[in-house]
Amino acid sequence: MGGRYRVTGKTYPRMRRPRRRGRIVALTALPVALLGVLGWGTLQLIDIFTGGGEASAAGARAECAARPSPSPAPAKVYPRPDGITVNVLNATTRGGLAKKTADELQKRGFRIGEVGNAPEEYDKKVKGAGLLLGTPDTADTVLPVLGTQLAGAEARPDAARKPDEKAKTPVVDLIIGDAFEDLSTPVDADKALTALTAPAPAPKATGKGC
């Protein structure tokens, strides 16, 4: 331009106000952020109403199924009545109990050994219904089987007692006590024996979330 409006030098006057870029960027980013939040919320609602939770649960069940189950403890082996020899000994003042009891046990399948009076250390000293004596290795197997025949009998492993190496089966004692009236009925004895020898249920998985 000429005249007094002529521009000289290297500096030019600004003809418009400078743009506020920071404000423009902020105004542009805010709607984008709001749209992102709304979109995420919409996806969550869709997941809930379309069974996304069921898919997660199915995945958790599949993970539990893939985990190895704990190994069950070895089952105890209980002998049959015909695999047990019983000495029937009377520690009371009532006569004939040992013979009567031995005959009934034999009918139920037990082998019978000695029948007679209890030794002095037990004679008239057993106050309960009966006392079952055996070696320590009979404590968890043989004595419980014999115990199914006489409710309330005390089972007592004798650490000083040694197995009879000549006997074909384990030998245990049934010492009849003062409170003895009779053996358990065959029905009750069979129920108790079945409950004792029934296999234990398999252990359940205890993993987290299973």
mmCIF file of all heavy atoms in Angstrom, residues 158-195:
data_model
loop_
_atom_site.group_PDB
_atom_site.id
_atom_site.type_symbol
_atom_site.label_atom_id
_atom_site.label_comp_id
_atom_site.label_asym_id
_atom_site.label_seq_id
_atom_site.Cartn_x
_atom_site.Cartn_y
_atom_site.Cartn_z
ATOM 1 N N ASP A 158 -3.603 -104.576 72.577
ATOM 2 C CA ASP A 158 -2.620 -104.901 73.613
ATOM 3 C C ASP A 158 -1.230 -104.893 72.987
ATOM 4 O O ASP A 158 -0.884 -105.768 72.190
ATOM 5 C CB ASP A 158 -2.944 -106.278 74.206
ATOM 6 C CG ASP A 158 -2.052 -106.625 75.389
ATOM 7 O OD1 ASP A 158 -1.148 -105.820 75.716
ATOM 8 O OD2 ASP A 158 -2.248 -107.698 75.978
ATOM 9 N N ALA A 159 -0.421 -103.873 73.349
ATOM 10 C CA ALA A 159 0.914 -103.731 72.760
ATOM 11 C C ALA A 159 1.823 -104.907 73.120
ATOM 12 O O ALA A 159 2.763 -105.218 72.377
ATOM 13 C CB ALA A 159 1.541 -102.416 73.220
ATOM 14 N N ALA A 160 1.562 -105.557 74.250
ATOM 15 C CA ALA A 160 2.413 -106.674 74.673
ATOM 16 C C ALA A 160 2.019 -107.989 74.019
ATOM 17 O O ALA A 160 2.755 -108.976 74.115
ATOM 18 C CB ALA A 160 2.349 -106.822 76.198
ATOM 19 N N ARG A 161 0.916 -107.980 73.338
ATOM 20 C CA ARG A 161 0.424 -109.222 72.731
ATOM 21 C C ARG A 161 1.080 -109.431 71.368
ATOM 22 O O ARG A 161 1.193 -108.505 70.570
ATOM 23 C CB ARG A 161 -1.097 -109.151 72.593
ATOM 24 C CG ARG A 161 -1.738 -110.432 72.096
ATOM 25 C CD ARG A 161 -3.237 -110.353 72.332
ATOM 26 N NE ARG A 161 -3.931 -111.527 71.841
ATOM 27 C CZ ARG A 161 -5.153 -111.860 72.226
ATOM 28 N NH1 ARG A 161 -5.800 -111.109 73.096
ATOM 29 N NH2 ARG A 161 -5.732 -112.941 71.745
ATOM 30 N N LYS A 162 1.506 -110.633 71.099
ATOM 31 C CA LYS A 162 2.162 -110.975 69.840
ATOM 32 C C LYS A 162 1.237 -111.824 68.972
ATOM 33 O O LYS A 162 0.462 -112.639 69.486
ATOM 34 C CB LYS A 162 3.463 -111.742 70.104
ATOM 35 C CG LYS A 162 4.453 -110.999 70.983
ATOM 36 C CD LYS A 162 4.889 -109.683 70.378
ATOM 37 C CE LYS A 162 5.886 -108.967 71.280
ATOM 38 N NZ LYS A 162 6.283 -107.653 70.703
ATOM 39 N N PRO A 163 1.307 -111.656 67.661
ATOM 40 C CA PRO A 163 0.470 -112.474 66.774
ATOM 41 C C PRO A 163 0.819 -113.958 66.904
ATOM 42 O O PRO A 163 1.982 -114.319 67.114
ATOM 43 C CB PRO A 163 0.804 -111.947 65.369
ATOM 44 C CG PRO A 163 1.391 -110.586 65.594
ATOM 45 C CD PRO A 163 2.085 -110.647 66.911
ATOM 46 N N ASP A 164 -0.185 -114.800 66.796
ATOM 47 C CA ASP A 164 0.014 -116.239 66.832
ATOM 48 C C ASP A 164 0.436 -116.690 65.426
ATOM 49 O O ASP A 164 -0.363 -116.707 64.489
ATOM 50 C CB ASP A 164 -1.280 -116.941 67.247
ATOM 51 C CG ASP A 164 -1.082 -118.435 67.459
ATOM 52 O OD1 ASP A 164 -0.004 -118.958 67.076
ATOM 53 O OD2 ASP A 164 -1.998 -119.086 67.996
ATOM 54 N N GLU A 165 1.711 -117.007 65.277
ATOM 55 C CA GLU A 165 2.245 -117.362 63.963
ATOM 56 C C GLU A 165 1.689 -118.683 63.445
ATOM 57 O O GLU A 165 1.702 -118.929 62.237
ATOM 58 C CB GLU A 165 3.768 -117.427 64.021
ATOM 59 C CG GLU A 165 4.415 -116.084 64.371
ATOM 60 C CD GLU A 165 5.917 -116.178 64.428
ATOM 61 O OE1 GLU A 165 6.427 -117.317 64.284
ATOM 62 O OE2 GLU A 165 6.581 -115.140 64.608
ATOM 63 N N LYS A 166 1.186 -119.524 64.328
ATOM 64 C CA LYS A 166 0.638 -120.808 63.900
ATOM 65 C C LYS A 166 -0.809 -120.694 63.438
ATOM 66 O O LYS A 166 -1.309 -121.583 62.741
ATOM 67 C CB LYS A 166 0.728 -121.817 65.052
ATOM 68 C CG LYS A 166 2.164 -122.141 65.462
ATOM 69 C CD LYS A 166 2.174 -123.160 66.594
ATOM 70 C CE LYS A 166 3.603 -123.490 67.015
ATOM 71 N NZ LYS A 166 3.633 -124.495 68.117
ATOM 72 N N ALA A 167 -1.464 -119.630 63.848
ATOM 73 C CA ALA A 167 -2.876 -119.467 63.501
ATOM 74 C C ALA A 167 -3.023 -119.025 62.041
ATOM 75 O O ALA A 167 -2.234 -118.239 61.524
ATOM 76 C CB ALA A 167 -3.532 -118.448 64.425
ATOM 77 N N LYS A 168 -4.047 -119.537 61.387
ATOM 78 C CA LYS A 168 -4.297 -119.191 60.001
ATOM 79 C C LYS A 168 -5.018 -117.846 59.869
ATOM 80 O O LYS A 168 -5.036 -117.249 58.791
ATOM 81 C CB LYS A 168 -5.131 -120.286 59.329
ATOM 82 C CG LYS A 168 -4.428 -121.635 59.257
ATOM 83 C CD LYS A 168 -5.296 -122.663 58.559
ATOM 84 C CE LYS A 168 -4.598 -124.010 58.467
ATOM 85 N NZ LYS A 168 -5.444 -125.031 57.794
ATOM 86 N N THR A 169 -5.638 -117.384 60.942
ATOM 87 C CA THR A 169 -6.367 -116.116 60.934
ATOM 88 C C THR A 169 -5.955 -115.310 62.175
ATOM 89 O O THR A 169 -5.400 -115.869 63.134
ATOM 90 C CB THR A 169 -7.885 -116.346 60.987
ATOM 91 O OG1 THR A 169 -8.224 -116.956 62.249
ATOM 92 C CG2 THR A 169 -8.344 -117.241 59.848
ATOM 93 N N PRO A 170 -6.200 -114.008 62.210
ATOM 94 C CA PRO A 170 -5.948 -113.234 63.427
ATOM 95 C C PRO A 170 -6.780 -113.776 64.590
ATOM 96 O O PRO A 170 -7.942 -114.151 64.413
ATOM 97 C CB PRO A 170 -6.388 -111.815 63.044
ATOM 98 C CG PRO A 170 -6.361 -111.785 61.550
ATOM 99 C CD PRO A 170 -6.695 -113.166 61.103
ATOM 100 N N VAL A 171 -6.186 -113.807 65.768
ATOM 101 C CA VAL A 171 -6.865 -114.320 66.958
ATOM 102 C C VAL A 171 -7.085 -113.166 67.933
ATOM 103 O O VAL A 171 -6.142 -112.458 68.302
ATOM 104 C CB VAL A 171 -6.038 -115.430 67.640
ATOM 105 C CG1 VAL A 171 -6.767 -115.942 68.876
ATOM 106 C CG2 VAL A 171 -5.765 -116.566 66.659
ATOM 107 N N VAL A 172 -8.345 -112.980 68.337
ATOM 108 C CA VAL A 172 -8.691 -111.922 69.284
ATOM 109 C C VAL A 172 -9.545 -112.510 70.395
ATOM 110 O O VAL A 172 -10.101 -113.611 70.260
ATOM 111 C CB VAL A 172 -9.442 -110.774 68.588
ATOM 112 C CG1 VAL A 172 -8.533 -110.037 67.607
ATOM 113 C CG2 VAL A 172 -10.690 -111.280 67.877
ATOM 114 N N ASP A 173 -9.646 -111.760 71.502
ATOM 115 C CA ASP A 173 -10.428 -112.220 72.650
ATOM 116 C C ASP A 173 -11.690 -111.391 72.815
ATOM 117 O O ASP A 173 -11.662 -110.162 72.668
ATOM 118 C CB ASP A 173 -9.615 -112.100 73.945
ATOM 119 C CG ASP A 173 -8.395 -113.012 73.959
ATOM 120 O OD1 ASP A 173 -8.322 -113.918 73.107
ATOM 121 O OD2 ASP A 173 -7.512 -112.799 74.819
ATOM 122 N N LEU A 174 -12.783 -112.058 73.131
ATOM 123 C CA LEU A 174 -14.001 -111.403 73.575
ATOM 124 C C LEU A 174 -14.202 -111.797 75.036
ATOM 125 O O LEU A 174 -14.532 -112.946 75.328
ATOM 126 C CB LEU A 174 -15.205 -111.825 72.737
ATOM 127 C CG LEU A 174 -16.584 -111.434 73.288
ATOM 128 C CD1 LEU A 174 -16.684 -109.939 73.513
ATOM 129 C CD2 LEU A 174 -17.691 -111.907 72.350
ATOM 130 N N ILE A 175 -13.965 -110.834 75.914
ATOM 131 C CA ILE A 175 -14.121 -111.094 77.346
ATOM 132 C C ILE A 175 -15.467 -110.534 77.777
ATOM 133 O O ILE A 175 -15.717 -109.323 77.678
ATOM 134 C CB ILE A 175 -12.974 -110.447 78.166
ATOM 135 C CG1 ILE A 175 -11.627 -111.000 77.672
ATOM 136 C CG2 ILE A 175 -13.157 -110.711 79.644
ATOM 137 C CD1 ILE A 175 -10.434 -110.389 78.388
ATOM 138 N N ILE A 176 -16.330 -111.387 78.258
ATOM 139 C CA ILE A 176 -17.685 -110.992 78.645
ATOM 140 C C ILE A 176 -17.646 -110.297 80.005
ATOM 141 O O ILE A 176 -17.073 -110.809 80.967
ATOM 142 C CB ILE A 176 -18.604 -112.217 78.693
ATOM 143 C CG1 ILE A 176 -18.659 -112.873 77.304
ATOM 144 C CG2 ILE A 176 -20.000 -111.837 79.158
ATOM 145 C CD1 ILE A 176 -19.396 -114.199 77.286
ATOM 146 N N GLY A 177 -18.280 -109.096 80.074
ATOM 147 C CA GLY A 177 -18.277 -108.310 81.306
ATOM 148 C C GLY A 177 -19.590 -108.349 82.059
ATOM 149 O O GLY A 177 -20.568 -108.973 81.620
ATOM 150 N N ASP A 178 -19.619 -107.648 83.183
ATOM 151 C CA ASP A 178 -20.783 -107.689 84.076
ATOM 152 C C ASP A 178 -22.055 -107.145 83.423
ATOM 153 O O ASP A 178 -23.153 -107.596 83.736
ATOM 154 C CB ASP A 178 -20.489 -106.882 85.351
ATOM 155 C CG ASP A 178 -19.406 -107.520 86.206
ATOM 156 O OD1 ASP A 178 -19.186 -108.746 86.073
ATOM 157 O OD2 ASP A 178 -18.765 -106.803 87.001
ATOM 158 N N ALA A 179 -21.929 -106.162 82.520
ATOM 159 C CA ALA A 179 -23.116 -105.552 81.909
ATOM 160 C C ALA A 179 -23.614 -106.331 80.690
ATOM 161 O O ALA A 179 -24.582 -105.918 80.047
ATOM 162 C CB ALA A 179 -22.805 -104.105 81.507
ATOM 163 N N PHE A 180 -22.994 -107.465 80.407
ATOM 164 C CA PHE A 180 -23.389 -108.249 79.241
ATOM 165 C C PHE A 180 -24.769 -108.863 79.444
ATOM 166 O O PHE A 180 -25.063 -109.429 80.491
ATOM 167 C CB PHE A 180 -22.375 -109.369 78.998
ATOM 168 C CG PHE A 180 -22.728 -110.270 77.841
ATOM 169 C CD1 PHE A 180 -22.347 -109.946 76.552
ATOM 170 C CD2 PHE A 180 -23.432 -111.447 78.049
ATOM 171 C CE1 PHE A 180 -22.659 -110.780 75.488
ATOM 172 C CE2 PHE A 180 -23.747 -112.285 77.000
ATOM 173 C CZ PHE A 180 -23.360 -111.952 75.709
ATOM 174 N N GLU A 181 -25.608 -108.710 78.411
ATOM 175 C CA GLU A 181 -26.910 -109.371 78.409
ATOM 176 C C GLU A 181 -27.011 -110.353 77.252
ATOM 177 O O GLU A 181 -27.428 -111.492 77.440
ATOM 178 C CB GLU A 181 -28.028 -108.330 78.336
ATOM 179 C CG GLU A 181 -28.125 -107.447 79.585
ATOM 180 C CD GLU A 181 -29.265 -106.461 79.504
ATOM 181 O OE1 GLU A 181 -30.004 -106.474 78.492
ATOM 182 O OE2 GLU A 181 -29.424 -105.672 80.460
ATOM 183 N N ASP A 182 -26.634 -109.895 76.074
ATOM 184 C CA ASP A 182 -26.651 -110.771 74.911
ATOM 185 C C ASP A 182 -25.922 -110.063 73.778
ATOM 186 O O ASP A 182 -25.677 -108.852 73.837
ATOM 187 C CB ASP A 182 -28.089 -111.077 74.484
ATOM 188 C CG ASP A 182 -28.177 -112.384 73.700
ATOM 189 O OD1 ASP A 182 -27.105 -112.886 73.278
ATOM 190 O OD2 ASP A 182 -29.300 -112.887 73.495
ATOM 191 N N LEU A 183 -25.581 -110.803 72.749
ATOM 192 C CA LEU A 183 -25.006 -110.188 71.558
ATOM 193 C C LEU A 183 -26.054 -109.326 70.858
ATOM 194 O O LEU A 183 -27.262 -109.455 71.099
ATOM 195 C CB LEU A 183 -24.509 -111.273 70.598
ATOM 196 C CG LEU A 183 -23.317 -112.121 71.055
ATOM 197 C CD1 LEU A 183 -23.071 -113.246 70.051
ATOM 198 C CD2 LEU A 183 -22.071 -111.281 71.236
ATOM 199 N N SER A 184 -25.612 -108.434 69.992
ATOM 200 C CA SER A 184 -26.553 -107.673 69.171
ATOM 201 C C SER A 184 -27.360 -108.640 68.320
ATOM 202 O O SER A 184 -26.884 -109.728 67.964
ATOM 203 C CB SER A 184 -25.792 -106.701 68.270
ATOM 204 O OG SER A 184 -25.022 -105.785 69.026
ATOM 205 N N THR A 185 -28.583 -108.272 67.994
ATOM 206 C CA THR A 185 -29.394 -109.132 67.138
ATOM 207 C C THR A 185 -28.704 -109.286 65.783
ATOM 208 O O THR A 185 -27.941 -108.398 65.357
ATOM 209 C CB THR A 185 -30.792 -108.533 66.936
ATOM 210 O OG1 THR A 185 -30.676 -107.298 66.203
ATOM 211 C CG2 THR A 185 -31.468 -108.277 68.274
ATOM 212 N N PRO A 186 -28.940 -110.389 65.098
ATOM 213 C CA PRO A 186 -28.312 -110.564 63.779
ATOM 214 C C PRO A 186 -28.610 -109.408 62.823
ATOM 215 O O PRO A 186 -27.745 -109.008 62.040
ATOM 216 C CB PRO A 186 -28.915 -111.877 63.283
ATOM 217 C CG PRO A 186 -29.232 -112.639 64.534
ATOM 218 C CD PRO A 186 -29.681 -111.595 65.509
ATOM 219 N N VAL A 187 -29.830 -108.861 62.877
ATOM 220 C CA VAL A 187 -30.180 -107.748 61.986
ATOM 221 C C VAL A 187 -29.339 -106.523 62.307
ATOM 222 O O VAL A 187 -28.759 -105.879 61.425
ATOM 223 C CB VAL A 187 -31.687 -107.418 62.100
ATOM 224 C CG1 VAL A 187 -32.013 -106.148 61.304
ATOM 225 C CG2 VAL A 187 -32.534 -108.580 61.604
ATOM 226 N N ASP A 188 -29.251 -106.159 63.596
ATOM 227 C CA ASP A 188 -28.464 -104.986 63.990
ATOM 228 C C ASP A 188 -26.980 -105.203 63.708
ATOM 229 O O ASP A 188 -26.274 -104.275 63.300
ATOM 230 C CB ASP A 188 -28.673 -104.697 65.475
ATOM 231 C CG ASP A 188 -30.078 -104.179 65.776
ATOM 232 O OD1 ASP A 188 -30.743 -103.704 64.824
ATOM 233 O OD2 ASP A 188 -30.509 -104.245 66.944
ATOM 234 N N ALA A 189 -26.506 -106.424 63.948
ATOM 235 C CA ALA A 189 -25.096 -106.716 63.701
ATOM 236 C C ALA A 189 -24.767 -106.604 62.212
ATOM 237 O O ALA A 189 -23.721 -106.067 61.836
ATOM 238 C CB ALA A 189 -24.749 -108.113 64.221
ATOM 239 N N ASP A 190 -25.679 -107.092 61.361
ATOM 240 C CA ASP A 190 -25.445 -107.006 59.917
ATOM 241 C C ASP A 190 -25.445 -105.546 59.452
ATOM 242 O O ASP A 190 -24.647 -105.160 58.586
ATOM 243 C CB ASP A 190 -26.512 -107.797 59.162
ATOM 244 C CG ASP A 190 -26.319 -109.309 59.286
ATOM 245 O OD1 ASP A 190 -25.207 -109.723 59.689
ATOM 246 O OD2 ASP A 190 -27.268 -110.057 58.988
ATOM 247 N N LYS A 191 -26.347 -104.731 60.006
ATOM 248 C CA LYS A 191 -26.380 -103.311 59.649
ATOM 249 C C LYS A 191 -25.078 -102.620 60.047
ATOM 250 O O LYS A 191 -24.520 -101.825 59.285
ATOM 251 C CB LYS A 191 -27.567 -102.624 60.324
ATOM 252 C CG LYS A 191 -28.924 -102.985 59.741
ATOM 253 C CD LYS A 191 -30.034 -102.238 60.458
ATOM 254 C CE LYS A 191 -31.401 -102.569 59.878
ATOM 255 N NZ LYS A 191 -32.490 -101.837 60.589
ATOM 256 N N ALA A 192 -24.615 -102.925 61.250
ATOM 257 C CA ALA A 192 -23.376 -102.317 61.721
ATOM 258 C C ALA A 192 -22.185 -102.754 60.876
ATOM 259 O O ALA A 192 -21.293 -101.953 60.568
ATOM 260 C CB ALA A 192 -23.151 -102.669 63.194
ATOM 261 N N LEU A 193 -22.166 -104.031 60.484
ATOM 262 C CA LEU A 193 -21.066 -104.543 59.665
ATOM 263 C C LEU A 193 -21.089 -103.918 58.272
ATOM 264 O O LEU A 193 -20.037 -103.570 57.713
ATOM 265 C CB LEU A 193 -21.156 -106.059 59.572
ATOM 266 C CG LEU A 193 -20.004 -106.768 58.855
ATOM 267 C CD1 LEU A 193 -18.682 -106.467 59.538
ATOM 268 C CD2 LEU A 193 -20.259 -108.276 58.808
ATOM 269 N N THR A 194 -22.281 -103.746 57.704
ATOM 270 C CA THR A 194 -22.400 -103.120 56.386
ATOM 271 C C THR A 194 -21.943 -101.673 56.432
ATOM 272 O O THR A 194 -21.231 -101.196 55.534
ATOM 273 C CB THR A 194 -23.855 -103.193 55.894
ATOM 274 O OG1 THR A 194 -24.254 -104.565 55.788
ATOM 275 C CG2 THR A 194 -24.005 -102.519 54.545
ATOM 276 N N ALA A 195 -22.347 -100.950 57.472
ATOM 277 C CA ALA A 195 -21.929 -99.549 57.611
ATOM 278 C C ALA A 195 -20.424 -99.431 57.784
ATOM 279 O O ALA A 195 -19.799 -98.486 57.295
ATOM 280 C CB ALA A 195 -22.649 -98.912 58.802
#
